[in-house]
Amino acid sequence: MTEETPTDVDPDAVVEQYEQQLNDVLATVEDPVPEADDGITLELAGLQLGRRDLLKTGAAVGALGIAGCQTRSNAAGTATSSGGSQSHGADHFVPPGEHDEYYGFWSGGHSGEIRVMGIPSMRELMRIPVFNTEGARGYGYDDETTEMLDDAGGYTWGDNHHPALSETGGDYDGRYLFVNDKANGRIARIDLKYFETDAITDVPNVQAVHGFCVQSPDTEYLFGNGEFRTPLPNDGRDLNSPEKYTSLFSALDPESMETLWQVKVDGNLDIMDTDKDGRWAISSAYNSEGATDVQGMTHDDRDWVKAFDVPAIQEAVDAGKYEEVNGVPIVDGTRDSPLNKGDDPIVRYIPTPKSPHCVEVEPNGKYAMVAGKLSPTVTILDIEKLTESSDPEEVVAGRPKVGLGPLHTTYDGNGHAYTSLFIDSQVAKWDIQAAVEAENNSTDPIMEKIDVHYNPGHIQAVEAMTNDPDGEWLISLNKLSKDRFLPTGPIHPDNDQLIHIGQGEKSMELVADHPVYPEPHDCIFAHKDKLDPARVWDKSDYEGEKPYVEESDSGVERTGDRSVHVKTSSKRSEYGLTEFTVKEGDEVTLTVTNIEGVPDIVHGVAIPEYNVNLAIAPQDTREVTFTADKPGVYWVYCTYFCSALHLEMRSRMLVEPR
Ligand code: RUQ
Ligand code: CUA
């Protein structure tokens, strides 16, 4: 073997050849449709990979998808309690190199992140840090994201529950994903061009923004529910007078992300949704008792669902009918408020059994479903009656008995509702029209139940929040996995289960178990055609905010007695500066641009012992500021495996003693 080893190979030429091949392949990555093999191959580790091998998508997926549906629809029976769902792994299998049909966005609970998954494969595609810091993406390490997190309160974690996609005309428009932070009362926006968090608002006057949604059909407002009742303002007054605590419904502007106004109400606020016409935001609630412990909070048989008349509230704000607390106009929406007297109260209080948890409006916008949680029923509210009638009792259109512990409801777009049953560990499918026509507490509208494992919270079907859901897939987000996976110590994963629902004409079928890291609450799915993420940064998007450092701009500029600005480009396999010198005690601002034009070549910047960690995607610039307080030599290295000479991609920071 040794005699065959070529001795006259120029390593630089080999590397150059590989990188040219890589460039050629990556340059065509944006084309989503496979073409006839175009002869471009990438030689690595002795393998010849054609472009087709790397980029299989399209027609083949469609054909397999249809075949999959046909085999899926053979489950027997339509109205049985099905404990024996079989797993058909192949049904949701997406072959290597092919794409999923849907993007799924999962909230990460108290991990503070969003997870992006492909549906139906359930493959994790990406994580988007939001309220957490994340080394792999340099989030919370560069100046920009650090400042954003600091300005939003400087908390180091968040508890994100309810992701929501921006809508235009009742459909996902692919611009933004929003999510709440229950822990620190914040709302964040993720730019879906770059899949990055671009704004976080710390909502004044509230603790625990729990219920959260965007306004349908056009996202003109974001709505967040303050779940915990507190004194207003919470500045040391009324400490032990719970009867004076209040909770607030907040409206934000999705563009400026400013808190526009708030409405104070009696009792807690929990989950909410809006109608499809831009008038009502409807919120579930518990603790109408105004208690501070669990016995007190669950004492009464009914709590008050609240329907907020958004245009009427906006009118009250415009007319100056508010008090201002911490810079936010607060409108009085309590039951005794003058604004709630007369025929057009700004908030309607609808008695509902018992500690109801969710509100989810069905795709036609006719009904809102309120799951009873401690009552085995779902209360159906007729939204049109809400508009016409000031008698809350008239608004209730039906109340099917779905099972124990109903929490959340989702839709297939064909007249069926699917409700998660936390206590029964089941999903109940029921017929909406039949439930409206049936007597209250009837089980007749229930078509079918399927066991899930175990204790589901949210469930979500694909495109379920649009006016025109797709059906096909439903995910049950189960809180407990118990014995379903290899044990991993005392903290178990949650279990997200994929259920095939077709168009609602067939039995539900459990297709896959999927362990998830703690602790998603909710998810939302958009068809892949509704998103158009950038493959590389468009530098005009940050022009004027931060520089674009060309190779020739690389250098060190002293900006003060104790401050320097270091600018460097980065590309395979070198930084624009192979070394730079600063003085002990200097405040160093390091600006790095990735000048690569091809997708998927990210460069990192790590400086040992200075907590510096940047991740810079092609055509992007990131900056970090730190104090060079320890004299010595510090290697600067690239953290992303970007080329054959990735390990050699280095610079040196020399910190001269003062
Ligand atoms: S919530 S299930 Cu925010 Cu219903 Cu968690
Ligand atoms: Cu650049 Cu590794």
Side-chain angles (χ1 to χ4, degrees), residues 165-168 173 178 214-222 254:
L165 289 160
S166 57
E167 293 179 20
T168 302
D173 59 22
F178 300 93
V214 303
Q215 190 187 38
S216 292
D218 301 302
T219 304
E220 281 163 29
Y221 298 92
L222 313 176

Side-chain angles (χ1 to χ4, degrees), residues 9 11 59 70 83 87 90 177 201 225 255 272 283 302 304 328 344 377 380 407 466 485 507 544 587 592 641 645 657:
V9 171
Q70 281 159 356
S87 168
L177 180 79
T201 299
N225 272 344
E255 297 300 332
M272 79 173 101
S283 172
R302 307 218 155 194
W304 304 91
V328 183
D344 294 305
T377 58
I380 304 175
L407 287 186
T466 68
F485 305 111
S507 283
E587 186 189 78
V592 188
F641 206 109
L645 289 175

Side-chain angles (χ1 to χ4, degrees), residues 571 602-604 638-643 646 649:
K571 66 170 189 190
V602 181
H603 295 295
C638 173
T639 46
Y640 267 79
F641 206 109
C642 53
S643 74
H646 152 76
M649 183 168 173

Side-chain angles (χ1 to χ4, degrees), residues 400-418:
K401 192 173 193 173
V402 291
L404 293 182
L407 287 186
H408 291 280
T409 301
T410 191
Y411 307 98
D412 61 18
N414 291 310
H416 310 111
Y418 300 77

Side-chain angles (χ1 to χ4, degrees), residues 24 89 111 118 148 205 234 251 266 270 367 422 472 479 500 513 597 621-622 632:
D24 291 344
S111 79
M148 181 171 66
N205 302 320
N234 191 16
D266 294 317
D270 196 10
Y367 301 115
F422 181 82
E472 289 302 323
K479 305 294 186 192
H500 185 246
D513 273 21
T621 296
R622 296 282 151 153

Side-chain angles (χ1 to χ4, degrees), residues 166 203 350:
S166 57
V203 181
I350 304 145

